[in-house]
Amino acid sequence: MFTVAMIFIAHMVPPLPPSWTSAQVLDFYTKHSLAVRAGTAIMMMGTAFGFTWSGSVAVWTARAEGAMPVLSFGQLVCAAWSFGGVYNAIVDFSSAAFRSDRPEQIVSSLNDHGWYWIVMPGSCAELQCILIGLAILFDKRTDPIFPRWVGYFNIWAGVLQIPGAMMPFFKTGPFAWDGLFAFWVPLVVFSLWIYVDTWAVLRAIRREVTSPTVTAGRNETPKHPPCTRTARRKCCRARQGFGYSSSAT
Amino acid sequence: MLPGEAGVWILVLGDMIVFGLFFVTYLAYRAREVDLFDRSQALLNVQFGVINTLLLLTSSWLVVLAVEAVRDGHTRRSRALLRGAFLCGVCFCAIKVVEYVDKYHEGISLVTNDFFMYYFMYTGIHLVHVAIGLGVLLFLIHRTHTAAPQDARIFESGAIFWHMVDLLWIMLFPLLYLVR
């Protein structure tokens, strides 16, 4: 829904080039005033699902982490900014189109502001991906909740969002906000990321439904000694660092 | 059999695809302004580049020895080797920072021209990879306290990432410093 609205209704893909003059930007918003407002309204509703999506990923990574789901909580807060950034961008685009009879500098600065919000929260998106990845990799079950490659994939997706942070320095070229490495590569990676993580969560849910014992229970390796109260406390203490408990056997 | 975990190869190959894209883009832009790129390239300090290449190659070699040591059950030896590799990585970062500051004092930054945009962006992104790799090495050093020979897989996975960081530099160095 978001993608369709962004590309076909709001005319936002490919992005408005940062090298445009204020007059060109004003011209765009005057010409597409209605389309931008309609498109952004739909994008807004689509973005809201980004928050619930992050919540559902967090529930499952929290289970993978066990008693101390630090990474999952961190991921959720980052999600508020990575999807929230997109949300702010939509507000900017919509308000630029709202009164396109304003002076061109005002419209173009709203437009700049919007594209900043699209690209810059990449820093939060990057950390969000990496935290999900680490939570998956630190799952010590013999049959982990998420396949381990999904963890590595998330870290890869996170690292690739880094170049976006440098976009204020460039108005043209691959690192500008409409460039290959600040926009197109992160866009492709982001789409893949949503797809892979959704698949992994659905897989976890399906496994929960068909065989609850696989995913249930706490983050423990079967190597552990029988869980008397003191032994359990010892396991927990050993896990507190980053969940490595092989020494506790 | 594939060394390390299968999953780590997704990260490594995925990253190498994107760096491949970096290299192609660089060559495409360079072809448009060969003169400017050559003149700018002459301002780089090749000695720093060579020292950094040697540092990363050495650290990769130390990591190889460390993985072997873990397989043989010599965890203390492995820890010492990994610490050596870590130190090489830190020196790499230090030299890179000296190089950046040096350029900054000469009045050159990432907005000077297209060549320096690529130089600063690519080496900067690579530097982030080095930082992540150093984190991985620290984790492995920590792991040597409890490692047994059957844990060698974790060390292989970490080593693969560090070798990738090394390999990317081996590609970047001639591309930015030497291609004429």
Side-chain angles (χ1 to χ4, degrees), chain B residues 56-73:
Chain B
L56 279 193
L57 282 173
T58 313
S59 74
S60 252
W61 177 59
L62 292 175
V63 167
V64 170
L65 295 180
V67 172
E68 263 174 26
V70 170
R71 279 198 204 114
D72 300 339

Side-chain angles (χ1 to χ4, degrees), chain B:
Chain B
M1 201 180 70
L2 210 59
E5 260 186 77
V8 81
W9 289 96
I10 289 194
L11 175 62
V12 166
L13 294 177
D15 231 20
M16 283 169 62
I17 288 171
V18 174
F19 266 85
L21 210 56
F22 281 180
F23 300 153
V24 173
T25 317
Y26 173 81
L27 289 174
Y29 272 81
R30 184 179 177 276
R32 284 203 246 159
E33 303 173 281
V34 179
D35 220 35
L36 173 81
F37 274 58
D38 281 352
R39 262 184 293 123
S40 311
Q41 188 184 55
L43 299 173
L44 292 184
N45 189 332
V46 182
Q47 281 145 355
F48 279 142
V50 172
I51 296 171
N52 266 348
T53 310
L54 292 176
L55 276 174
L56 279 193
L57 282 173
T58 313
S59 74
S60 252
W61 177 59
L62 292 175
V63 167
V64 170
L65 295 180
V67 172
E68 263 174 26
V70 170
R71 279 198 204 114
D72 300 339
H74 305 309
T75 47
R76 283 176 71 102
R77 188 177 135 77
S78 161
R79 185 151 63 241
L81 289 164
L82 285 171
R83 281 187 181 145
F86 182 82
L87 198 67
C88 289
V90 171
C91 290
F92 177 93
C93 294
I95 290 181
K96 208 78 217 127
V97 170
V98 169
E99 229 182 321
Y100 286 160
V101 173
D102 205 30
K103 283 280 155 296
Y104 181 76
H105 284 308
E106 289 170 26
I108 297 171
S109 73
L110 78 174
V111 288
T112 304
N113 61 34
D114 269 3
F115 174 80
F116 283 107
M117 168 179 86
Y118 287 110
Y119 168 75
F120 280 104
M121 289 302 292
Y122 287 3
T123 55
I125 293 167
H126 179 260
L127 201 58
V128 173
H129 281 76
V130 175
I132 296 172
L134 287 176
V136 172
L137 289 185
L138 268 187
F139 165 70
L140 292 183
I141 291 169
H142 174 70
R143 275 292 268 169
T144 53
H145 291 286
T146 54
Q150 61 267 27
D151 295 331
R153 205 122 212 236
I154 297 166
F155 286 81
E156 284 172 7
S157 300
I160 287 167
F161 185 83
W162 189 249
H163 294 326
M164 179 197 72
V165 172
D166 186 11
L167 180 66
L168 293 178
W169 177 255
I170 303 283
M171 301 291 290
L172 264 184
F173 170 61
L175 198 70
L176 292 173
Y177 288 75
L178 303 177
V179 168
R180 293 275 143 124

Side-chain angles (χ1 to χ4, degrees), chain A residues 82-98:
Chain A
S82 60
F83 287 103
V86 177
Y87 208 84
N88 287 354
I90 297 169
V91 171
D92 285 331
F93 295 146
S94 184
S95 53
F98 180 55

Side-chain angles (χ1 to χ4, degrees), chain A residues 209-233:
Chain A
V209 172
T210 49
S211 51
T213 46
V214 177
T215 48
R218 299 200 301 170
N219 185 2
E220 281 169 9
T221 54
K223 282 189 282 181
H224 281 174
C227 270
T228 60
R229 184 173 288 177
T230 40
R232 200 184 300 141
R233 212 173 287 146

Side-chain angles (χ1 to χ4, degrees), chain A residues 165-187:
Chain A
M166 301 305 279
M167 68 110 182
F169 296 101
F170 309 110
K171 291 199 176 62
T172 55
F175 295 104
W177 81 50
D178 65 340
L180 181 63
F181 299 127
F183 185 80
W184 294 104
V185 169
L187 182 73

